[in-house]
Structures are given as structure tokens and as C-alpha cells.
Amino acid sequence: MELPGFVYRLYERQLRGMLTPEKLPAHIGVLVDGNRRWAKLSGQTTASGHQAGADKILEFLGWCQELDINLVTLYMLSTDNMSRSSDELDALMGIIANTLDRLGETKTVRVKPVGALDLLPDYLANKLRELEASTAGVTGIHVNVAVGYGGRQEIVDAVKALLLQGHANGLDAAQIAADLDPDQLATHLYTKGQPDPDLVIRTSGEQRLSGFLTWQSAYSEFYFCEALWPDFRRVDFLRALRDFADRQRRFGS
């Protein structure tokens, strides 16, 4: 019975030995997908699946810290997910709130909310803001928590912010349009000031981004993994990193 674990440890060690710091992504985006399917296959409640997924997040961040990957964006709740049943949403948001508390307790994680906080219950939006403020001085891993997030909504919000700023500076629409360029718009994104993700991982076998970092992922490398998020193992992560390291990145056509 010990053989599989022993074999995986050897395989992990082999994979880890193939990775060098200069070939690791500086910023990883993760779509933590498959919690509900995991619960159904396990004969457990949907809330149990979300909790298992939350536990995996803490484990995953530990793997990133071991490898000195210090910027991670986690897609935890999309704007599309907001249409789920109220019972499921209430349970999920409670789990997210608890996960935020756990992140704060580590004292090694800097948290930034990424999303439309006005779509969230007040208690969760306030918790995100408070955690951002209380962890602002942490020098460890920086974690963007994408809750109530939609890529198209982010771009709309960025355009609105840019237009309002231009108006406040006394510019008319023609002047704002004349000055507009991608770099200027990027300064109004939720992730302003951060490098774009080098690698985006999605679990559960789905091969689409579902609006995740629509603007920022233009030149990201994508890795799709069959494992459901609660079943995502360190060896799966190392495989993703090996795959990324073996690619020759091109920024253009």
C-alpha cells in the first residue's frame, strides 16, 4: 500500500530537479475548478466540495512559496457564479470568508481583492478590504483573490475609471480617445501595477478561460489539467511547471 506514495515522492523529486528558478513563472493564475463535481463524485454535499477546494488553496500556496513563486491570482467566484442558488452562494461565501481569515492568520500572505466588491455581501466585501489593509506590509507571497470577478466587467470598469479621470482633468471625449493606449488602460485594471500572468492553470478538464484575466492573459501560457481542484496534487503542479519551462514563449503572432 505504501508503493504508490513512494513512487509519487520519487517522481516529484525528479520533476522538481528538472526545474530551475529562471524558468519558473513569476505570476500564476489559477481557475480552481471542479469542486462541485468532486463533491458529487464523492457523494458529499456541494458545500463539502467548496470546503475541500478551499483547503487545497492553502496547500497550493504552500507549494508556490516553496518554489519562490510570489504572485498568484485565484479565481474563486465569478460574476457568472453569482446566479447560483442562494443556499449554495451563502455557503460558498461563508467558506471564502473563512479562507480569507486563514490566509490572514498565516502572516506570510499579502492579499488583494480582485473583482466587483459591490456585488458581494457587505460582510465579505468589508473582510476583503480589511484583509488587504492589514496585509499590505507583508513581504511574502502576494495573492489576488478574484471574488465577484468577470474579465469583461473589469475592462468596463477600467474604461469607466479612465473616462472619469479624464473628465476630472478637464478633457473632453475626443481628447481622451486621442490619448488612449493599452498601457494607459492597464493602469485602471484591478491588477494595475502587477505583471501579467506568465502561466494560467485550469483544473477539471475544461479548456476555456471563462472570463478569467481577459486582458492580462493575452500572452499567458495555458495549462489544462484533468484533475478536479480538490484532487490537484503537488505532482500535477510540478508537471504544469515543467510544461511551462519547456515552452518557447512568443509574444506576437
Side-chain angles (χ1 to χ4, degrees):
M1 296 294 291
E2 294 296 321
L3 183 59
F6 174 70
V7 171
Y8 272 119
R9 285 193 295 274
L10 284 178
Y11 184 39
E12 282 185 3
R13 191 176 305 165
Q14 180 185 32
L15 288 171
R16 180 65 183 89
M18 297 169 66
L19 300 173
T20 55
E22 62 272 14
K23 289 190 175 182
L24 291 175
H27 180 184
I28 296 179
V30 188
L31 293 91
V32 296
D33 191 27
N35 296 335
R36 294 202 294 178
R37 273 173 280 171
W38 181 89
K40 186 175 181 179
L41 290 170
S42 303
Q44 300 188 49
T45 65
T46 299
S48 297
H50 290 313
Q51 184 59 61
D55 294 339
K56 181 61 63 173
I57 284 172
L58 275 294
E59 188 178 4
F60 175 79
L61 294 178
W63 302 337
C64 291
Q65 288 171 307
E66 289 171 8
L67 293 166
D68 291 325
I69 296 170
N70 293 315
L71 180 54
V72 175
T73 300
L74 299 168
Y75 201 10
M76 296 177 66
L77 181 68
S78 72
T79 50
D80 293 332
N81 294 153
M82 302 293 289
S83 63
R84 292 180 179 177
S85 71
S86 57
D87 288 345
E88 180 179 352
L89 278 177
D90 288 345
L92 176 54
M93 290 184 184
I95 290 168
I96 291 172
N98 178 257
T99 303
L100 293 173
D101 289 337
R102 294 167 68 187
L103 288 175
E105 289 166 3
T106 67
K107 307 298 183 183
T108 62
V109 176
R110 180 181 178 186
V111 175
K112 177 177 176 57
V114 175
L117 299 188
D118 57 306
L119 298 178
L120 304 176
D122 289 343
Y123 81 90
L124 185 55
N126 290 336
K127 185 178 289 290
L128 282 161
R129 294 188 185 99
E130 291 166 4
L131 191 56
E132 179 181 20
S134 66
T135 63
V138 174
T139 57
I141 186 170
H142 183 141
V143 179
N144 294 321
V145 178
V147 180
Y149 175 87
R152 290 179 176 178
Q153 185 62 50
E154 178 181 23
I155 294 171
V156 168
D157 287 346
V159 171
K160 287 180 177 178
L162 186 148
L163 291 173
L164 289 171
Q165 182 184 67
H167 178 72
N169 291 335
L171 302 178
D172 61 27
Q175 291 172 308
I176 295 171
D179 293 338
L180 182 60
D181 62 32
D183 290 338
Q184 186 183 22
L185 185 61
T187 62
H188 295 279
L189 296 172
Y190 300 149
T191 58
K192 57 182 177 291
Q194 299 179 17
D196 292 337
D198 303 295
L199 173 64
V200 174
I201 299 172
R202 181 168 189 161
T203 56
S204 85
E206 302 292 345
Q207 298 190 22
R208 60 182 184 276
L209 294 184
S210 299
F212 182 51
L213 299 179
T214 302
W215 178 282
Q216 298 90 330
S217 65
Y219 293 107
S220 301
E221 299 293 327
F222 304 134
Y223 185 86
F224 300 105
C225 178
E226 291 294 326
L228 303 175
W229 175 246
D231 289 332
F232 191 68
R233 303 162 300 178
R234 190 171 186 269
V235 70
D236 297 315
F237 182 45
L238 293 173
R239 283 173 176 161
L241 296 177
R242 178 190 61 184
D243 184 84
F244 174 82
D246 288 342
R247 298 185 190 182
Q248 184 175 355
R249 302 189 70 193
R250 293 183 176 89
F251 298 90
S253 60

